[in-house]
Amino acid sequence: MNDFIEKTKYIHNVYKNNKKLFDKKSEIGQHIQVFNNGFFGNILVIDNDLQLTEHDESNYHEMIVHVPLNYMENKINVLIIGGGDGGTLREVCKHKNVTQIIMVEIDKEVIDVCKNYFKKCSNSFNDKRLTLIIEDAALWIEKNINKYNNYFDIILLDSTDFNKS
């Protein structure tokens, strides 16, 4: 049984007939790629880790946002950690009771790429409630922990789940 577990501990997704649309290392060293697939549409990959596909990104973004926000009736402040593709932001912006959104994304290049290749996801970066901060979120929180103590009603963590061993 242990031999079976060892052989199957990695799951590999193969998307056939892809066309590479974008391939670049960002200033902070992330390898950002965009592929196009006949079924899934555009696919975002960062450091060989699948981030999203146009076909099903809404499943993730709607669940991460609407499940907690639908229980919040009063005016609220939201912190988004990560989320450079813009999908979580898009869903947060649908809630009229949100007064301020602070989004801390480590890599501006991810945002720029998604604005170009994932327009449906990234259509809320101009929302007037948004303050966009390009910085490592752990460092930003460390610097601002006292300033924003008890400020946010919801904190959404939309970061990569790297499968590194």
Side-chain angles (χ1 to χ4, degrees):
M1 186 64 164
N2 286 339
D3 187 43
F4 174 78
I5 292 171
E6 185 59 33
K7 288 180 182 177
T8 60
K9 79 178 192 182
Y10 297 105
I11 297 172
H12 299 281
N13 294 322
V14 177
Y15 298 88
K16 294 182 179 183
N17 303 317
N18 290 330
K19 177 182 176 187
K20 189 182 292 185
L21 303 176
F22 182 87
D23 190 336
K24 178 180 177 185
K25 275 222 183 231
S26 71
E27 285 185 21
I28 69 163
Q30 292 193 115
H31 184 198
I32 304 168
Q33 296 174 298
V34 178
F35 300 91
N36 183 268
N37 176 277
F39 178 78
F40 289 102
N42 287 353
I43 300 171
L44 177 65
V45 175
I46 299 177
D47 293 333
N48 295 318
D49 191 47
L50 178 80
Q51 302 297 302
L52 64 90
T53 73
E54 281 182 312
H55 177 73
D56 58 8
E57 60 79 17
S58 63
N59 297 337
Y60 170 80
H61 292 121
E62 289 174 1
M63 293 302 291
I64 195 173
V65 172
H66 300 306
V67 171
L69 265 68
N70 281 337
Y71 289 97
M72 308 297 288
E73 295 178 5
N74 299 325
K75 295 195 178 294
I76 61 173
N77 298 314
V78 177
L79 173 62
I80 301 172
I81 303 293
D85 57 66
T88 297
L89 173 63
R90 176 195 66 213
E91 298 304 317
V92 167
C93 290
K94 292 178 180 178
H95 291 263
K96 302 301 180 201
N97 61 327
V98 172
T99 56
Q100 183 178 19
I101 306 160
I102 295 180
M103 180 174 170
V104 185
E105 165 60 42
I106 195 167
D107 198 340
K108 184 173 183 330
E109 186 75 33
V110 172
I111 294 170
D112 294 341
V113 167
C114 290
K115 284 180 177 179
N116 192 29
Y117 293 100
F118 299 89
K119 294 182 186 327
K120 180 181 169 196
C121 261
S122 61
N123 63 6
S124 295
F125 281 103
N126 292 327
D127 191 287
K128 64 182 179 183
R129 299 170 290 177
L130 174 66
T131 301
L132 178 61
I133 298 165
I134 306 299
E135 187 175 344
D136 182 306
L139 298 176
W140 183 85
I141 290 170
E142 188 177 308
K143 289 189 304 190
N144 291 284
I145 192 79
N146 292 327
K147 178 179 179 180
Y148 290 105
N149 189 28
N150 294 319
Y151 181 79
F152 297 106
D153 301 288
I154 297 282
I155 299 173
L156 301 170
L157 183 60
D158 184 2
S159 66
T160 304
D161 296 328
F162 287 106
N163 187 15
K164 308 256 182 200
S165 48

